[in-house]
Amino acid sequence: MLNLILFGPPGSGKGTQAEKLIDKYNLKHISTGDLLRAEVAAQTELGVKAKAIMDKGELVSDEIVIGMIENKLKEGKLEEGYIFDGFPRTVDQARALRNLLTDHGMEINLVVALQVDKEELIKRLLKRGEESGRTDDNLETITNRINVYENQTKPVTRYYGKRKLYQPIDGVGTIEEIFLRILAEIEKVEH
Ligand code: AP5
């Protein structure tokens, strides 16, 4: 079983690479961003609260996102592996994930951290903003999302570094080139 975290700043390609990895390894994809956007679209109470936070580029509370992950893990078949995309984003989330996986007899095998410079991140997200209508893909919110990543999410790299799970990967290049770089790292932990 393979349990993988796709880690990296906004626009680094986590979602894009997750799609390709799911096809290849038949993993279950858990993206907290997608789960939150589904709540927003359904106009649930949680969604209404989350939208205001997401539109500013801030983090939704640990309690909410950890609860969502807990529910998803309960739904899943235990023999499946998972790709966590956009989670964990704080050290408390990382600790909670560890405990939840342990409860299910699982563990994280690899944290793939996509490295992309700030200029390229902004370019990608502004381009997507023109096409997708994602309300957080505007310059002000993108800038704050990157700052939030630097200040609140980057400490997670140390958490996984200490556990020898953290693997930085060059996230600039074609989508296929980056995919091959990720596959090479997965091969190492699988064998
Ligand atoms: P989330 O949905 O997780 O957004 P994000 O981290 O900002 O990530 P993105 O989806 O913007 O980028 P990505 O790295 O997935 O890149 P993608 O493949 O899409 O979170 C949104 C919000 O929800 C957060 O701000 C927060 O408020 C809340 N939230 C979510 N999770 C949370 C958590 N755990 N705790 C608290 N709050 C949470 O690619 C981006 C673009 O680049 C695409 O257009 C793509 O086509 C393009 N692209 C991809 N690869 C390449 C390439 N190699 N070359 C050129 N373009 C590329």
Side-chain angles (χ1 to χ4, degrees), residues 1-188:
M1 186 196 283
L2 178 68
N3 291 306
L4 190 71
I5 293 174
L6 279 177
F7 191 84
S12 56
K14 303 181 294 292
T16 305
Q17 296 298 332
E19 291 302 325
K20 292 176 72 69
L21 289 162
I22 296 158
D23 283 352
K24 171 125 182 116
Y25 292 103
N26 199 21
L27 299 171
K28 199 168 159 71
H29 183 201
I30 303 188
S31 154
T32 39
D34 288 350
L35 293 174
L36 288 165
R37 278 184 290 279
E39 297 283 343
V40 173
Q43 296 183 325
T44 62
E45 198 182 329
L46 190 161
V48 172
K49 276 189 206 149
K51 184 175 179 354
I53 298 167
M54 293 164 82
D55 282 348
K56 283 191 248 159
E58 298 291 329
L59 293 184
V60 174
S61 78
D62 285 343
E63 195 190 347
I64 288 178
V65 286
I66 291 165
M68 290 192 321
I69 296 283
E70 197 172 0
N71 290 337
K72 277 283 152 194
L73 289 176
K74 274 186 205 149
E75 274 174 22
K77 293 189 208 125
L78 293 187
E79 67 271 19
E80 283 175 336
Y82 290 89
I83 294 190
F84 297 94
D85 161 6
F87 180 92
R89 264 172 147 98
T90 63
V91 173
D92 282 346
Q93 290 181 18
R95 289 196 187 108
L97 178 61
R98 185 165 186 234
N99 292 337
L100 287 171
L101 290 178
T102 304
D103 289 347
H104 291 282
M106 295 189 286
E107 61 182 4
I108 292 296
N109 307 102
L110 182 65
V111 179
V112 166
L114 296 166
Q115 314 284 299
V116 179
D117 59 86
K118 189 173 172 182
E119 204 179 311
E120 172 71 11
L121 296 174
I122 293 174
K123 195 172 92 187
R124 288 183 189 178
L125 293 176
L126 285 177
K127 184 161 176 249
R128 183 177 64 187
E130 286 166 17
E131 295 154 3
S132 74
R134 242 178 86 162
T135 51
D136 57 349
D137 281 345
N138 61 76
L139 186 57
E140 191 183 347
T141 309
I142 292 167
T143 307
N144 195 40
R145 283 158 66 196
I146 295 172
N147 288 341
V148 166
Y149 171 80
E150 291 291 333
N151 296 328
Q152 297 180 48
T153 302
K154 260 224 175 131
V156 176
T157 62
R158 284 196 294 279
Y159 177 88
Y160 288 114
K162 278 186 204 157
R163 290 163 178 79
K164 310 254 182 286
L165 293 170
Y166 180 76
Q167 183 57 56
I169 290 201
D170 181 2
V172 180
T174 67
I175 289 167
E176 194 57 31
E177 281 166 351
I178 297 159
F179 181 57
L180 292 177
R181 288 172 202 152
I182 297 174
L183 293 192
E185 294 304 328
I186 293 176
E187 293 273 308
K188 287 183 200 164

